[in-house]
Amino acid sequence: MNTLSLSRYRTEWFSGIGQARRDILAGMVGTFALIPEVIAFSFVAGIDPEVGLFASFVIGIVIAVAGGRPAMISGAAGSVALVAAALVHAHGLPYLLAATLLAGVFQIVFGLLKLNVLMRFVSRSVRTGFVNALAILIFSAQLPQLIGVTWHSYAMIALGLAIIYLLPRITTAIPSPLICIVVLTAIAAFVPMPLRVVADLGRLPDGLPVLALPHLPIAWETLAIIAPYALAMAAVGLLESMMTASVVDDLTETTSSKARECTGLGLANIAAGMFGGIAGCGMIGQTVGNVRYGGRGRLSTLVAGVFLLVVMVPLRPWVAQVPVAALVAIMVMVSISTFSWGSLRDLGRHPKVSGIVMLATVAVTVATHDLSAGVIVGVLLSGVFFAFKVTRLMDVAVDYDAATDTRLYQVSGQVFFASADIFGDRFDLRDTARRARIDLTHAHLWDITAVGALEDVVSKMRRHAMTVEVVGLNEASAILVDRHAPLMREVGV
């Protein structure tokens, strides 16, 4: 690192006693929000809860040091678990651990090649849809905890929400979700009532993670099995992490190194695989909660990981008795604060295509429970709508010079694969004029489809005994024509 980067890195760790206190408390809140989702995602992947919890602990510590986005909490996430489930079901846990190691290697390569620039193709509408869909999924994930329970659970959730929203009006010294957990746990301990507790969600680990490399035959057959899953986990994990980092950038009005986040996540997943954990990525629900309650630096990320270990082992008996109602109240708050309520108002103010992209992203994500699927659909729709918009800007003005018997074609706009056919249709190949002059001064040829359309028009005109002249090609278009349509030189290009 150079001096400036090193100074910034130090600031990301410590920027004052007050911020350090907020980072520590926000990280602790993030840990409690992490536990139920990691356990649930572990069941989705078909693995023991301790595999997901160990992975989240290791990933949290490594990403705090090597990641590119301070205050972002990473762990065993649902999108990666969905990919891992098929591999575990077909081949077992050792193959999943090997795929986790390989996924980490892929992510490091992606970071070194700076493939994070692909995020530039994700429009604001897609990001808004991503956030809104995530808020809906976070809320819907709490519904199983609200079905088949007694009124005591609803009362505790209502009390938890009251504490979360009303306590900040009195004091913000301690995050209200943390107070919510302590108060509701104390009530449940002193007033017996039929409530589900964290212990009911799954077995918590009773020891520390140990180094345990997967025992598999080193052969091409093994690589052939794990490589497709590893690549899918790497891609899905990076996509969700990059989207989460972008959301935090917006919330904190700061910037982050996406390339470093890629390599950092790769290192974290390699470490997770070496300690018997599943691959993970940025967890936007927990991250948003961390940021909402003051987390801004790397310390909050580190605390979330370290405190998870503290919670899993020494405080295991106490944590096991935390009411699920307290966790549900926190996640309901996170879902409400995550949703972009202003986007509903913007549906009537912004262009319709932006609204369609946002709604499509939400619909696909909620229907598939796959954040990456929603983002991919949103990006594709954005690209199609953009191509149509640019196509409409392409025009060919036609004139005639009787003195020289020349038909004049003035082309303006962008000629590429989506507008090439429209470009070709604007020329009258049955014209009786002896000469044709195609002026491309105000146009740009973007690809070989555009060059092919121009070459096709010129060739057909020449077959009709017309003398064709092409003028005004800019340098980039001329190079493209020279490479892919060398016969155009005969018409004076």
Side-chain angles (χ1 to χ4, degrees):
M1 293 184 181
N2 56 37
T3 304
L4 182 62
S5 297
L6 184 59
S7 176
R8 178 176 178 178
Y9 186 74
R10 289 173 178 170
T11 303
E12 290 172 350
W13 274 105
F14 183 79
S15 59
I17 297 296
Q19 183 57 53
R21 179 179 58 82
R22 288 190 291 271
D23 281 342
I24 292 172
L25 294 176
M28 293 170 66
V29 173
T31 298
F32 281 102
L34 194 68
I35 291 173
E37 286 207 28
V38 170
I39 293 175
F41 295 152
S42 298
F43 282 120
V44 170
I47 56 179
D48 292 332
E50 64 179 8
V51 176
L53 291 168
F54 281 153
S56 299
F57 158 67
V58 174
I59 291 171
I61 292 178
V62 175
I63 205 70
V65 177
R69 174 62 263 180
M72 193 167 92
I73 295 178
S74 298
S79 55
V80 177
L82 290 172
V83 177
L87 178 59
V88 174
H89 179 74
H91 301 283
L93 180 60
Y95 282 87
L96 172 61
L97 301 182
T100 296
L101 294 172
L102 185 57
V105 173
F106 283 144
Q107 289 169 335
I108 292 175
V109 173
F110 291 162
L112 294 176
L113 295 178
K114 298 189 182 300
L115 296 182
N116 57 283
V117 297
L118 296 176
M119 280 297 296
R120 296 175 183 174
F121 296 97
V122 181
S123 67
R124 188 177 187 86
S125 298
V126 176
R127 295 183 186 183
T128 302
F130 172 87
V131 170
N132 289 347
L134 181 68
I136 294 172
L137 290 180
I138 291 174
F139 183 82
S140 64
Q142 312 314 309
L143 295 180
Q145 310 301 335
L146 301 174
I147 298 175
V149 297
T150 63
W151 65 268
H152 306 83
S153 295
Y154 296 111
M156 291 287 272
I157 292 173
L159 176 59
L161 289 172
I163 293 173
I164 290 172
Y165 283 107
L166 297 180
L167 185 63
R169 298 185 179 184
I170 302 174
T171 178
T172 57
I174 300 178
S176 58
L178 199 57
I179 299 298
C180 167
I181 291 173
V182 173
V183 171
L184 266 62
T185 303
I187 292 175
F190 289 102
V191 183
M193 61 183 80
L195 292 174
R196 296 190 69 191
V197 295
V198 169
D200 298 326
L201 297 178
R203 176 178 174 271
L204 294 175
D206 52 10
L208 301 177
V210 295
L211 187 64
L213 294 175
H215 297 288
L216 292 174
I218 302 176
W220 287 110
E221 290 77 8
T222 303
L223 181 62
I225 292 173
I226 67 173
Y229 293 99
L231 184 59
M233 288 192 293
V236 169
L238 286 179
L239 177 61
E240 192 159 348
S241 291
M242 293 301 99
M243 293 295 295
T244 302
S246 297
V247 170
V248 179
D249 288 349
D250 292 339
L251 288 175
T252 60
E253 297 182 351
T254 58
T255 59
S256 58
S257 173
K258 304 301 189 297
R260 186 187 300 172
E261 185 64 30
C262 292
T263 55
L265 183 60
L267 292 172
N269 281 330
I270 289 176
M274 294 175 65
F275 282 91
I278 185 177
C281 63
M283 302 185 72
I284 191 167
Q286 288 69 23
T287 298
V288 170
N290 180 43
V291 173
R292 296 290 187 194
Y293 286 94
R296 291 294 183 274
R298 294 178 182 273
L299 184 58
S300 65
T301 306
L302 179 66
V303 168
V306 172
F307 192 63
L308 180 61
L309 181 64
V310 172
V311 164
M312 285 192 300
V313 185
L315 300 181
R316 179 174 177 271
W318 183 83
V319 173
Q321 299 307 312
V322 173
V324 173
L327 305 179
V328 171
I330 293 174
M331 297 311 293
V332 168
M333 175 275 299
V334 170
S335 67
I336 293 173
S337 62
T338 300
F339 194 91
S340 177
W341 298 99
S343 64
L344 299 179
R345 180 188 65 251
D346 293 338
L347 285 175
R349 298 166 49 191
H350 289 176
K352 291 183 179 179
V353 293
S354 297
I356 292 174
V357 169
M358 190 272 284
L359 293 174
T361 303
V362 172
V364 173
T365 301
V366 172
T368 63
H369 284 235
D370 187 347
L371 292 167
S372 60
V375 171
I376 291 172
V377 169
V379 170
L380 290 176
L381 280 178
S382 296
V384 170
F385 288 144
F386 176 77
F388 276 117
K389 182 177 181 179
V390 174
T391 297
R392 289 197 299 269
L393 299 177
M394 197 277 299
D395 187 41
V396 179
V398 184
D399 200 0
Y400 177 69
D401 185 358
T404 58
D405 193 20
T406 302
R407 187 69 64 185
L408 305 173
Y409 294 94
Q410 182 76 39
V411 184
S412 59
Q414 314 303 313
V415 187
F416 62 114
F417 65 90
S419 60
D421 288 342
I422 299 175
F423 168 83
D425 292 340
R426 297 294 177 86
F427 294 87
D428 185 3
L429 302 179
R430 294 172 296 181
D431 200 335
T432 57
R434 297 175 57 189
R435 297 180 179 83
R437 189 171 188 267
I438 304 174
D439 188 352
L440 297 166
T441 303
H442 302 291
H444 186 90
L445 306 182
W446 283 100
D447 54 21
I448 59 174
T449 305
V451 173
L454 177 61
E455 185 179 33
D456 188 50
V457 167
V458 172
S459 299
K460 290 178 179 178
M461 284 182 169
R462 293 182 63 193
R463 284 199 296 268
H464 284 77
M466 296 179 67
T467 301
V468 184
E469 179 185 14
V470 179
V471 299
L473 277 173
N474 57 37
E475 183 178 356
S477 299
I479 292 174
L480 200 61
V481 169
D482 188 58
R483 288 179 180 175
H484 301 285
L487 294 179
M488 292 288 291
R489 298 171 186 165
E490 300 177 12
V491 298
V493 175

